[in-house]
Amino acid sequence: MSRALLQSTGIVSLMTLLSRVLGFVRDVLFATAFGAGAGMDAFLVALKIPNFGRRLFAEGAFSQAFVPVFTEVRTQQGRLAARELLAVVSGTLAGVLAVLTLIGCLAAPALLWLFAPGFADEPDKQQLGAELLRWTFPYLMFISLVSLAGGVLNSYGRFAVPAATPVILNLCLISTAFIDAGSVRLLAYAVFLAGVLQLLAQLPALAQLGLLVRPRWAWRDSRVRRIVQLMVPILFGSSVAQISLLLDTVLASFLVTGSVSWLYYADRLMEFPLGIFTLAVATVILPVLSAQHADADPAAFRRTLDWGLRLLLLIGLPAALALLLLAKPLVITLFQYRAFGVNDVEMTAWALMAYAFGFLGFSLVKVLVPGYYARQETRRPVRFGILSLLVGMGLSLVLVGLCLWQRFPAPHAALALATSCSALLNAGLLYRGLRREGIYQPQPGWRRYVLQLMGANLVMVGVLLIMAGPAEQWLAASATERAADMGRLVLLAIGSYGLALLALGLRPREFLRRPGATP
């Protein structure tokens, strides 16, 4: 089981790595062409609104509710029942999304005011943002249907196609640089086209499984209603971090121009390791946990969850420390060209360090939430999510107020810090809930494992502190020199961390053993 899980995680991570690398190329082009100005702020908000819906609805509530139900039907009732379920769910989902898309396009100015009220003080930015949103909002409909297809493929162990699909969006956006690198409108058109192409890319894989069904509207179908009932509370329970990030954008729109962009670039850097590894683990274990719950095998359920947490900490802890220690060198290497100035580097680095503080919180939530939703348990994650969200909102207002009062030069970083605290609180509550009810029980070997991780991370931190060098050195270097130096630094960090783990007795085969075996 562990070997299969690790192989599946590797496939998802590899495909996601390709997407994230192209995403960085895309963001470098954004920073080079537009910097952190008004046009970029407008486009990022126009993109963030459908992306918020995607993460909250398609990859959050819908995916978490649909995959366990679909897996249960496929496991217990067979392929024909699974085809029937897919037909009614896809038809109903498409109908609802079509209406929602029409409303979103017509109400674009109101939506932009709701998500970025600070733009109202700049009519040109407000008008541009509304225009762009009418092109980007339909992306929510396309990507939600992509998420449906991806959930089906994942439940059959087909992880490569869904994981590779985001590459299409990045390729579409990158291609705009070769057409007209100075037009944010062209970026919005590329988002629309990418949504269509991403949906079409899923169809051959579904056809190979014999699951390319004709969608059918069936709002009153009991199976559809069951999924909807599970979705409503999950909207909060699984997506607190996304709501917090959205609130960051709302508050940042009232701060100086560039604040939205600085938070975006910092979030993109944090999302790189989060997407490559954390989301890969969460994607892989959800259908496995759902099947184990359907088979009434709680012991296997505990072992799978334990495996996911161990693997998460193995990569997540050094990733968080590296983001914190290398914030400025990373921002300089990737973004500090042409329109992206030295002040932009400073402001983005502050936000990245604040996000790095909560990286493990964001990661743990992604892995712990499947422990609830695989069992179709929604009430407690909702309570935890709402509490964490409220705490994050309160912290955002208090910390931003303190920063403005003390004339701190980067008040937007307080928003990132509040979001990190909210994620850490949510992760703690989710973990405690699983432990209290005995759903999760740590397997033998955790004390030794934690000590090994602590020792190896201390070695890696020492290497980074010695070898990173001052920010002025990175600013003075050419693009080629920066890339080479960052590559060497990353290899040194990975090498020192890996060798330290081996010296402390941790072996790769320990993640290939039968789940539950002592590390």
Side-chain angles (χ1 to χ4, degrees), residues 238-261:
S238 67
S239 304
V240 170
Q242 300 308 321
I243 297 174
S244 298
L245 290 171
L246 177 63
L247 291 173
D248 288 352
T249 301
V250 172
L251 292 175
S253 70
F254 288 101
L255 302 176
V256 298
T257 294
S259 295
V260 173
S261 298

Side-chain angles (χ1 to χ4, degrees), residues 296-317:
D297 192 350
F301 191 99
R302 295 188 193 103
R303 291 194 297 265
T304 298
L305 198 53
D306 189 84
W307 178 90
L309 290 173
R310 288 176 190 255
L311 198 56
L312 170 65
L313 290 177
L314 180 71
I315 304 297
L317 187 55

Side-chain angles (χ1 to χ4, degrees), residues 363-518:
S363 299
L364 287 169
V365 168
K366 295 294 184 183
V367 174
L368 291 170
V369 160
Y372 289 88
Y373 297 138
R375 299 179 296 111
Q376 300 175 34
E377 164 66 53
T378 60
R379 292 184 179 180
R380 284 183 300 157
V382 169
R383 293 199 301 268
F384 301 154
I386 292 175
L387 176 60
S388 302
L389 179 61
L390 292 175
V391 169
M393 290 173 62
L395 276 175
S396 293
L397 295 172
V398 170
L399 292 177
V400 169
L402 287 173
C403 287
L404 294 175
W405 178 48
Q406 293 294 322
R407 299 184 184 277
F408 180 64
H412 63 285
L415 299 173
L417 182 60
T419 299
S420 292
C421 292
S422 176
L424 289 168
L425 175 61
N426 194 27
L429 293 172
L430 289 167
Y431 178 81
R432 187 181 67 170
L434 290 173
R435 288 296 309 277
R436 277 188 170 182
E437 292 200 5
I439 303 302
Y440 169 64
Q441 294 177 358
Q443 303 298 296
W446 265 100
R447 183 187 299 273
R448 176 171 173 265
Y449 184 63
V450 169
L451 290 175
Q452 290 170 327
L453 291 183
M454 290 176 62
N457 277 283
L458 284 174
V459 171
M460 186 198 72
V461 167
V463 169
L464 291 179
L465 289 175
I466 293 171
M467 302 301 297
E472 292 75 16
Q473 175 181 321
W474 291 86
L475 287 169
S478 66
T480 303
E481 291 170 336
R482 292 174 184 178
D485 290 344
M486 182 56 66
R488 284 192 291 268
L489 198 57
V490 170
L491 290 177
L492 279 173
I494 294 174
S496 62
Y497 180 65
L499 290 174
L501 286 174
L502 291 174
L504 291 169
L506 188 67
R507 298 292 181 266
R509 66 175 179 272
E510 296 176 11
F511 289 92
L512 300 175
R513 293 177 178 175
R514 176 180 55 83
T518 303

